[in-house]
Amino acid sequence: MSNTRSNLADLTYFLSIARHRSFRIAGLELGVSASALSHALKGLEARLGVRLLNRTNRSVTLTAAGEELRDEITEPFGRIDQAVEGLNRYRDAPTGRVRLNVVAEAAALLLAPVLPIFAERYPDIEVDIAARDQMVDVIEGGYDAGIRHGGTVPEDMVAQRLSADLRWVIAGSPAYLEKFGTPETPDDLQQHQCLAVRLGDDRIYRWEFEGPQGEFALSVPSKIIVDEGRAMLAMALAGTGLMFGLAPTFAPFVGRGELRLVLDDYSTMGPGYHIYYSSRRQVPTGLRLLIDLVREIRPLGL
C-alpha cells in the first residue's frame, strides 16, 4: 500500500515536470524543492523499470515511455484534482493556494485594496503573487492566472476585465518643474529630461498622447532608462525627470503636492486590467473568489 501511495504522489510530480519541462517551475507549482522532485522521479523510474525523462543541465524532455505515461494519466489525474477542488463546496471555509503573475502596478492599485478583505473572508486560502513587469507564460511558469493590461492578454486565454480603462498622464516634481519649466505641448518634451521605459522586448516605450487630430506617440529624449515602475517613480519624486504613467499611481503624490501633472489636455486612455487563465484547466476556488471580490469592490472602477 505504501508503494501505491508513493507512486500516486510521484506521478503527480511527474505530470507537473512533464507539463513545465522544468524541475524548478514544477517545484514552484507544487511547493516542493527541485532536488526533492528529482529524487522522487528517480525513485519512480526505478520502481517502474523505465526512464521517463531525459535530463541535461539545460533541458528536460520526455522519453517515449514518458510521453505514453503522460498521455495515459493526464485525464484521470485531472478528474481527481477537480473532485478534490469540488469539496470546497462542503467546507465551512474554502482552502487552497492561488499563484498569480501580476504587472507590478496592478498589484499595488488593484490587489492591495482588496487583499485585506480577502484575507479576512478566506483565512485558509494562500495567495502567492509575483509582481513583475516582464511578460511571462503563466502556464509554463506554474501560475493559476495572470493580470495584465487588456491589449497584452494572450488570445488563447480566458480573460475577465477587472478594472475600467485607465488614464495615462505625465508627472514631474515641483522642484523639477521650477528648474526646467512646464511643457505646454508634447513637442516641448524635446527640451526636457524624460524617464524612459524599457519594454520586455528591449524596445524603448514611446509616450502616447491624444490631441485634436487623434492619438499619436512620440519618442522622448531620455538619458535615464528604467524597466521597473517603482524605481522610476522614486526618480520622478526626486526631481530626476518627467515620468509617463497611470493617473491612479500618481494620485496620492499629486494630492500631497509631491508631483504635478503636466500636459493633462493631451492625456490618453488605455485598456484596463484583465485577469487571464487557461481554458483547459478548472478555475481554482480561491481564484474564482478573488476575481469575484475584485469585481465587487472595484478599486479602479469597472
Side-chain angles (χ1 to χ4, degrees), residues 39-191:
H39 179 75
L41 260 293
K42 287 177 182 176
L44 179 63
E45 289 175 326
R47 292 194 301 276
L48 295 178
V50 294
R51 178 179 289 277
L52 301 173
L53 302 172
N54 293 313
R55 309 166 179 85
T56 70
N57 290 335
R58 295 188 176 182
S59 67
V60 176
T61 59
L62 295 176
T63 64
E67 290 181 352
E68 183 175 328
L69 180 63
R70 177 202 59 194
D71 294 343
E72 289 292 334
I73 69 174
T74 294
E75 184 178 347
F77 269 79
R79 289 202 299 269
I80 291 171
D81 289 341
Q82 291 179 16
V84 172
E85 180 67 29
L87 295 178
N88 265 319
R89 300 194 310 274
Y90 301 98
R91 295 189 179 105
D92 292 334
T95 64
R97 181 169 180 251
V98 180
R99 294 194 72 237
L100 301 174
N101 187 282
V102 182
V103 66
E105 280 187 294
L109 298 174
L110 193 68
L111 296 182
V114 169
L115 285 176
I117 301 168
F118 186 85
E120 184 177 353
R121 285 191 190 178
Y122 312 111
D124 296 325
I125 296 178
E126 177 186 347
V127 182
D128 184 347
I129 300 169
R132 295 169 186 155
D133 290 333
Q134 287 76 26
M135 287 286 290
V136 301
D137 184 325
V138 295
I139 303 304
E140 188 140 324
Y143 299 99
D144 295 301
I147 298 178
R148 288 288 182 272
H149 293 282
T152 63
V153 173
E155 293 183 359
D156 60 344
M157 293 286 183
V158 175
Q160 293 190 54
R161 176 183 283 271
L162 294 183
S163 83
D165 285 347
L166 300 166
R167 190 161 69 99
W168 292 85
V169 296
I170 299 171
S173 71
Y176 173 88
L177 296 173
E178 286 166 13
K179 184 175 182 179
F180 294 98
T182 301
E184 301 295 332
T185 71
D187 288 337
D188 293 344
L189 294 173
Q190 300 304 317
Q191 281 72 55

Side-chain angles (χ1 to χ4, degrees), residues 157-282:
M157 293 286 183
V158 175
Q160 293 190 54
R161 176 183 283 271
L162 294 183
S163 83
D165 285 347
L166 300 166
R167 190 161 69 99
W168 292 85
V169 296
I170 299 171
S173 71
Y176 173 88
L177 296 173
E178 286 166 13
K179 184 175 182 179
F180 294 98
T182 301
E184 301 295 332
T185 71
D187 288 337
D188 293 344
L189 294 173
Q190 300 304 317
Q191 281 72 55
H192 279 266
Q193 298 181 24
C194 301
L195 302 173
V197 181
R198 187 181 299 281
L199 300 175
D201 59 6
D202 222 31
R203 289 182 299 117
I204 303 301
Y205 185 75
R206 301 175 73 206
W207 290 12
E208 298 177 358
F209 304 91
E210 185 163 2
Q213 279 73 50
E215 294 185 353
F216 60 98
L218 288 178
S219 296
V220 295
S222 308
K223 294 182 180 178
I224 297 177
I225 302 169
V226 189
D227 67 355
E228 202 278 329
R230 289 164 295 187
M232 184 178 299
L233 179 59
M235 294 175 192
L237 288 165
T240 307
L242 299 175
M243 176 179 172
F244 183 86
L246 289 172
T249 295
F250 296 142
F253 303 99
V254 172
R256 295 192 295 266
E258 298 173 57
L259 290 175
R260 296 177 190 164
L261 299 185
V262 301
L263 299 176
D264 212 20
D265 291 343
Y266 292 89
S267 65
T268 185
M269 299 296 292
Y273 291 123
H274 288 62
I275 191 163
Y276 62 99
Y277 47 87
S278 172
S279 60
R280 298 186 296 273
R281 295 173 59 183
Q282 183 185 27

